[in-house]
Amino acid sequence: MDSSWADQRRQNALAQAQRLREREAAESAQAREYLEKFISAARRTGVGPEQLYVSDGNGKRAKTPLQGWYLKADRSVAVAEDGQFYILTAPLSLAQRLRGVNPEASAPTLILGKGGRDGEQIDLTEALSVRIPTWAEG
């Protein structure tokens, strides 16, 4: 009896994990669509990309090879010209601050700052509207 209960519990946990992965994938796909629309609107309205930097949160930063648009006022997240989403906060060594860093793209989310320590969250659509109020119209 204990074995079947444990097996059922394990099956339920696996199913729940699968549903979570599917929900996150759908959310990321929706966020990517929004980011593509935003980039198109930025180009159409003449809001050009800028040099992106990674910050350590203490005022130190490092240049990246990326150009794009910051999505939050604190410059902690951005979308690059190619549509890739980046979280731009990380610990930085002296060498990284001098030579620069090449951050890895992340899966975009519909809530920026979700799960972050500072508790400052903003809906992706709201953040995009702050940058370009008409981004969704195109």
Side-chain angles (χ1 to χ4, degrees):
M1 180 118 171
D2 283 337
S3 176
S4 65
W5 178 83
D7 288 342
Q8 182 62 44
R9 189 164 166 113
R10 190 172 16 267
Q11 295 277 342
N12 289 344
L14 290 171
Q16 185 174 2
Q18 180 62 30
R19 286 191 300 273
L20 178 61
R21 282 191 298 276
E22 289 169 358
R23 194 169 42 248
E24 287 173 345
E27 178 180 315
S28 186
Q30 181 66 60
R32 284 187 197 288
E33 286 181 36
Y34 291 158
L35 293 174
E36 288 172 12
K37 278 183 154 181
F38 172 82
I39 292 169
S40 179
R43 289 183 175 138
R44 188 175 61 254
T45 60
V47 177
E50 60 185 287
Q51 180 67 53
L52 299 179
Y53 291 84
V54 171
S55 172
D56 70 354
N58 294 317
K60 295 180 177 82
R61 59 188 204 154
K63 190 175 184 177
T64 74
L66 305 169
Q67 296 278 320
W69 298 266
Y70 291 104
L71 303 179
K72 287 180 66 179
D74 67 2
R75 297 177 164 242
S76 60
V77 294
V79 60
E81 290 178 290
D82 64 359
Q84 293 295 315
F85 178 78
Y86 292 90
I87 297 171
L88 297 173
T89 55
L92 295 169
S93 68
L94 178 60
Q96 289 173 314
R97 292 192 332 253
L98 295 173
R99 289 188 215 127
V101 295
N102 194 2
E104 288 188 33
S106 299
T109 62
L110 294 174
I111 305 293
L112 301 178
K114 185 178 182 178
R117 289 182 289 174
D118 64 3
E120 208 167 298
Q121 298 180 8
I122 185 170
D123 184 81
L124 176 61
T125 58
E126 186 178 330
L128 298 176
S129 293
V130 168
R131 291 297 316 261
I132 302 175
T134 59
W135 73 269
E137 296 173 9

